[in-house]
């Protein structure tokens, strides 16, 4: 069965430190992967995606994600966190026109 | 280009009533998906419409239904509302083709009392 796991409900990071939000997946075939961010009382915003090619994908707001096929992971990273990065982050994996969503990780950046 | 719009933004209904939510996709987007978001269950896929046809469906009871019009606008209907239907309902649109990102609307906050 296809699945996506975001193993951490919440991640706390000090402002200026690097951040990582984890995502692992299980899907048959070649997946395409997404990260989205949701700010309070807002819809989800697209951050970045991986379909093929370079394993390191750069996206909006200074975020990047690394696709690791052997570990079936697609972790979201940012070198230096901002307080404004505090939000809910979702990983999604697509296959055959269907998207499977992770449960979301709440990212809290402390000043 | 205008983003995905959803109406109404907020709605309060009573148990047993029915409700219709509306979604206007980004111009040129033919695929519209609906999601239910609750604190306990996260983001749950309801259904996807493409060119007026339901292409995929999530695991929701038949009380949840939808349709898409020729201009790609979509509506979602929930009949016989239950307290557990209280949620944020999100609509997302994208261009045709696989592997393309979805663009979300702000959502409709439904409260069932």
């Amino acid at each position: 069965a296809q699945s996506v796991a975001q193993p951490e409900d919440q991640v706390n990071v000090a402002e200026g430190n690097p951040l990582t939000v984890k995502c692992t997946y299980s899907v048959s075939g070649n997946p395409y992967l997404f990260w989205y961010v949701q700010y309070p009382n807002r819809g989800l915003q697209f951050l970045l995606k991986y379909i093929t090619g370079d394993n390191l994908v750069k996206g909006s707001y200074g975020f990047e994600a690394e696709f690791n096929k052997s570990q079936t992971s697609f972790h979201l990273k940012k070198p230096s966190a901002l307080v404004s990065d505090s939000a809910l982050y979702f990983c999604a994996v697509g296959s055959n026109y269907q998207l499977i969503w992770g449960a979301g990780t709440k990212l809290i950046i402390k000043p | 280009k205008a983003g995905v719009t959803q109406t109404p933004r907020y709605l309060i209904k009573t148990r047993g009533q029915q409700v219709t939510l509306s979604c206007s996709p980004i111009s040129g987007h033919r695929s519209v998906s609906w999601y239910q978001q609750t604190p306990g269950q996260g983001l749950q896929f309801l259904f996807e419409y493409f060119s007026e046809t339901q292409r995929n469906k999530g695991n929701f009871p038949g009380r949840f239904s939808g349709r898409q019009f020729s201009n790609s606008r979509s509506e979602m209907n929930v009949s016989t509302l239950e307290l557990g239907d209280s949620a944020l309902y999100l609509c997302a649109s994208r261009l045709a083709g696989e592997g393309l990102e979805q663009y979300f609307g702000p959502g409709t906050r439904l409260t069932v009392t």
Side-chain angles (χ1 to χ4, degrees):
Chain A
Q2 303 184 124
S3 64
V4 177
Q6 291 182 244
E8 301 151 319
D9 291 337
Q10 183 169 309
V11 172
N12 298 298
V13 178
E15 186 177 27
N17 283 1
L19 69 88
T20 298
V21 183
K22 296 179 181 177
C23 173
T24 58
Y25 65 91
S26 173
V27 65
S28 56
N30 294 318
Y32 39 92
L33 302 125
F34 301 88
W35 275 103
Y36 285 80
V37 60
Q38 185 179 33
Y39 297 101
N41 300 313
R42 303 279 296 276
L44 278 69
Q45 294 179 33
F46 168 74
L47 275 179
L48 50 81
K49 71 177 179 182
Y50 171 84
I51 295 181
T52 187
D54 194 349
N55 289 344
L56 185 64
V57 180
K58 294 189 182 297
S60 306
Y61 312 122
F63 283 94
E64 59 189 25
E66 185 169 11
F67 173 67
N68 187 318
K69 188 172 183 178
S70 62
Q71 296 185 5
T72 61
S73 66
F74 190 55
H75 301 332
L76 181 70
K77 299 181 180 184
K78 187 172 183 181
S80 179
L82 300 172
V83 172
S84 57
D85 292 330
S86 298
L88 188 57
Y89 290 80
F90 289 93
C91 176
V93 177
S95 176
N96 194 28
Y97 292 101
Q98 292 202 25
L99 272 183
I100 303 163
W101 293 83
T105 298
K106 186 174 184 180
L107 177 63
I108 297 176
I109 309 300
K110 297 183 178 178
Chain B
K1 223 178 224 186
V4 178
T5 59
Q6 292 186 243
T7 57
R9 292 292 312 277
Y10 302 91
L11 205 50
I12 300 175
K13 290 285 188 180
T14 304
R15 269 183 304 174
Q17 288 186 315
Q18 76 165 14
V19 66
T20 299
L21 311 182
S22 181
C23 172
S24 292
I26 292 172
S27 177
H29 287 193
R30 293 164 61 192
S31 166
V32 173
S33 296
W34 288 90
Y35 294 88
Q36 181 194 66
Q37 186 178 22
T38 58
Q41 296 296 318
L43 200 64
Q44 302 289 317
F45 171 70
L46 280 154
F47 27 66
E48 180 196 10
Y49 285 87
F50 177 76
S51 292
E52 303 179 65
T53 301
Q54 189 180 86
R55 182 156 68 177
N56 282 304
K57 188 177 189 302
N59 189 26
F60 276 81
R63 300 186 296 107
F64 292 82
S65 63
R67 59 178 176 169
Q68 186 180 33
F69 302 95
S70 58
N71 62 357
S72 293
R73 190 178 69 86
S74 178
E75 287 182 347
M76 190 193 97
N77 185 77
V78 187
S79 63
T80 319
L81 283 166
E82 300 177 358
L83 294 178
D85 297 334
S86 295
L88 181 67
Y89 290 88
L90 294 164
C91 166
S93 75
R94 64 182 177 92
L95 291 166
E98 199 165 0
L100 298 176
E101 60 271 25
Q102 296 181 338
Y103 292 88
F104 283 79
T108 294
R109 173 74 62 183
L110 172 65
T111 301
V112 182
T113 62

